[in-house]
Amino acid sequence: MARRCVVTGKGTTAGNNVSHSHKKDRRIWKVNVITKKIFLEDENRWVRVKISTRALRTLRKKGLKNAIKDHGGDIKAIEPKKYIGVGSASAAKVSSAK
């Protein structure tokens, strides 16, 4: 999974280390991202999101959904996953047979 914040969209940035003699060496800056389990009260469920520690402060103030909307993030990142497995297909056949 990518090292990217769900709320702010911050990710890894590339640039140069510049020495005293102005020699340039390529380097990367990694964003401080943690995996956090957050409870959505209106949906009564837990979601696991990758969030930067800076956005975590905003999250405590505004809530997850409002913070994502304010920063222009994608709400689909916290939608529940729809799993289609072998067991669900056989259960659908049994229910349609009745």
Side-chain angles (χ1 to χ4, degrees), residues 4-10 49-52 64 68 73-74 77-78:
R4 184 163 299 275
C5 176
V6 172
V7 176
T8 59
K10 285 184 179 182
V49 293
K50 282 195 166 189
I51 187 167
S52 65
L64 181 61
I68 290 174
D74 190 16
I78 61 168

Side-chain angles (χ1 to χ4, degrees), residues 5-93:
C5 176
V6 172
V7 176
T8 59
K10 285 184 179 182
T12 304
T13 308
N16 291 318
N17 267 342
V18 182
S19 70
H20 179 69
S21 64
H22 291 281
K23 283 197 308 186
K24 294 176 176 71
D25 294 323
R26 295 299 286 179
R27 66 159 292 181
I28 58 173
W29 286 269
K30 292 183 178 176
V31 69
N32 189 7
V33 173
I34 59 169
T35 303
K36 188 79 175 161
K37 210 167 141 183
I38 299 167
F39 186 72
L40 298 176
E41 292 179 4
D42 56 341
E43 296 182 16
N44 196 26
R45 67 183 179 96
W46 289 91
V47 291
R48 188 169 284 151
V49 293
K50 282 195 166 189
I51 187 167
S52 65
T53 52
R54 181 71 184 197
L56 190 59
R57 295 179 62 188
T58 306
L59 186 95
R60 290 187 181 133
K61 184 177 179 181
K62 295 182 178 180
L64 181 61
K65 287 188 177 182
N66 290 335
I68 290 174
K69 286 179 188 175
D70 289 351
H71 287 282
D74 190 16
I75 294 287
K76 291 182 181 178
I78 61 168
E79 286 181 355
K81 307 286 189 281
K82 295 178 182 173
Y83 294 105
I84 301 172
V86 178
S88 62
S90 61
K93 289 178 186 177

